[in-house]
């Protein structure tokens, strides 16, 4: 198992450019999510998905789009990058499981994005 | 709304000394609580979790945490620090059974030889 993989590891964009951060998992997890990590702010949830075709907004969704066409992939799209989106982005996945049962989330290695 | 506060953005201890990382939470329902560790340039790894069973939770690498409802705290401890414990530690909270996590600001732990 490769676990959760993210590409690219590093990316530099100019303001206004668009790009897609890729996330894939090979554990057949239903739940996938995207977080951004900023110094002194911990990780904040951007978007999440409880299964193919189902997505929802997290705490900081503005400026980001997602879709989930397969169980394995959950790409994050920046349509018009802004300097405020300079951050480290983490993808995570887990089983959804039964109500009242927490399933451990597995995190990818992250993508470090700089927007100039 | 849930929130997590980690007291101290940086903690420095000597090798062999006690490690204490503080976490306080705010939640309208009894929450699930977690500690994650992040080593440099890596993703997050689950250290331990509290999910309404025993209030003293043991995790990996000799860490443990105690859930204290009266103090709304979930502090992380390790009796004897090792150089390999140097990392950033995050406390997180979720509603029972929910997968969405709310993270604290993080505490960077430095171990002095």
């Amino acid at each position: 198992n490769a676990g959760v993989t993210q590409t690219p590891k590093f990316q530099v964009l100019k303001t206004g450019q668009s790009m897609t951060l890729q996330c894939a998992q090979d554990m057949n997890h239903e739940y996938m999510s995207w977080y951004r990590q900023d110094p002194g702010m911990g990780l904040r949830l951007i978007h999440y998905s409880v299964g193919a075709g189902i997505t929802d907004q997290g705490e900081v969704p503005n400026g980001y789009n997602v879709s989930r066409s397969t169980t394995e992939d959950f790409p994050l799209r920046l349509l018009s990058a802004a300097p405020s989106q300079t951050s480290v982005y983490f993808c995570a996945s887990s089983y959804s499981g039964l109500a009242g049962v927490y399933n451990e989330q597995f995190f990818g290695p992250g993508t470090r994005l700089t927007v100039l | 709304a849930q929130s997590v506060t980690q007291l101290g953005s940086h903690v420095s201890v000597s090798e062999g000394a006690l490690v204490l990382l503080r976490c306080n939470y705010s939640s309208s329902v009894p929450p699930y609580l977690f500690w994650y560790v992040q080593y440099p340039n890596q993703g997050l790894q689950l250290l331990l979790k509290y999910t309404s069973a025993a209030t003293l939770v043991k995790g990996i690498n000799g860490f443990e945490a105690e859930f204290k409802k009266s103090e709304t705290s979930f502090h992380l401890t390790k009796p004897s620090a090792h150089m390999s414990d140097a990392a950033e530690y995050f406390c997180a909270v979720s509603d029972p059974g929910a997968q969405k996590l709310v993270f604290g600001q993080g505490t960077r732990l430095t171990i002095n030889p």
Side-chain angles (χ1 to χ4, degrees):
Chain A
N1 280 354
V4 180
T5 57
Q6 293 183 237
T7 56
K9 291 187 187 297
F10 302 94
Q11 184 70 48
V12 178
L13 292 177
K14 294 181 180 178
T15 297
Q17 287 185 315
S18 63
M19 80 160 295
T20 299
L21 279 62
Q22 302 291 346
C23 174
Q25 52 89 12
D26 61 358
M27 297 173 281
N28 203 30
H29 286 166
E30 303 94 346
Y31 183 89
M32 296 186 74
S33 57
W34 277 101
Y35 293 87
R36 60 177 288 172
Q37 181 181 18
D38 302 292
M41 303 187 74
L43 281 77
R44 292 178 292 168
L45 182 65
I46 304 172
H47 285 285
Y48 66 97
S49 168
V50 298
I54 306 170
T55 64
D56 205 348
Q57 297 180 349
E59 180 186 355
V60 288
N62 291 342
Y64 307 95
N65 280 352
V66 293
S67 60
R68 183 111 177 257
S69 56
T70 68
T71 299
E72 295 78 19
D73 301 294
F74 190 44
L76 178 72
R77 282 183 287 276
L78 285 70
L79 298 179
S80 179
S84 61
Q85 295 179 303
T86 293
S87 187
V88 181
Y89 292 84
F90 288 100
C91 179
S93 76
S94 69
Y95 292 112
S96 291
L98 302 172
V101 176
Y102 177 80
N103 293 289
E104 179 179 351
Q105 293 195 45
F106 294 87
F107 284 79
T111 294
R112 187 174 295 274
L113 175 67
T114 301
V115 183
L116 303 176
Chain B
Q2 296 168 321
S3 67
V4 173
T5 301
Q6 292 183 238
L7 299 177
S9 58
H10 291 91
V11 170
S12 181
V13 302
S14 299
E15 191 174 17
L18 171 72
V19 175
L20 171 61
L21 305 183
R22 300 177 187 273
C23 172
N24 288 90
Y25 69 90
S26 172
S27 177
S28 58
V29 297
Y32 286 1
L33 292 158
F34 312 87
W35 277 99
Y36 282 84
V37 60
Q38 183 182 32
Y39 298 104
N41 300 313
Q42 294 187 23
L44 275 69
Q45 180 183 5
L46 182 65
L47 264 182
L48 50 79
K49 64 180 185 286
Y50 166 77
T51 55
S52 73
T55 55
L56 182 62
V57 180
K58 294 187 185 300
I60 61 172
N61 301 337
F63 284 94
E64 63 182 36
E66 186 171 9
F67 172 68
K68 292 188 176 181
K69 184 178 179 182
S70 61
E71 299 177 9
T72 61
S73 69
F74 191 58
H75 301 331
L76 182 71
T77 60
K78 182 174 180 178
S80 178
H82 192 272
M83 295 299 291
S84 61
D85 295 327
E88 187 150 21
Y89 292 79
F90 293 93
C91 184
V93 64
S94 77
D95 282 335
Q99 295 301 113
K100 289 198 298 182
L101 296 171
V102 175
F103 285 87
Q105 306 93 315
T107 297
R108 185 168 300 278
L109 176 64
T110 301
I111 311 297
N112 301 313

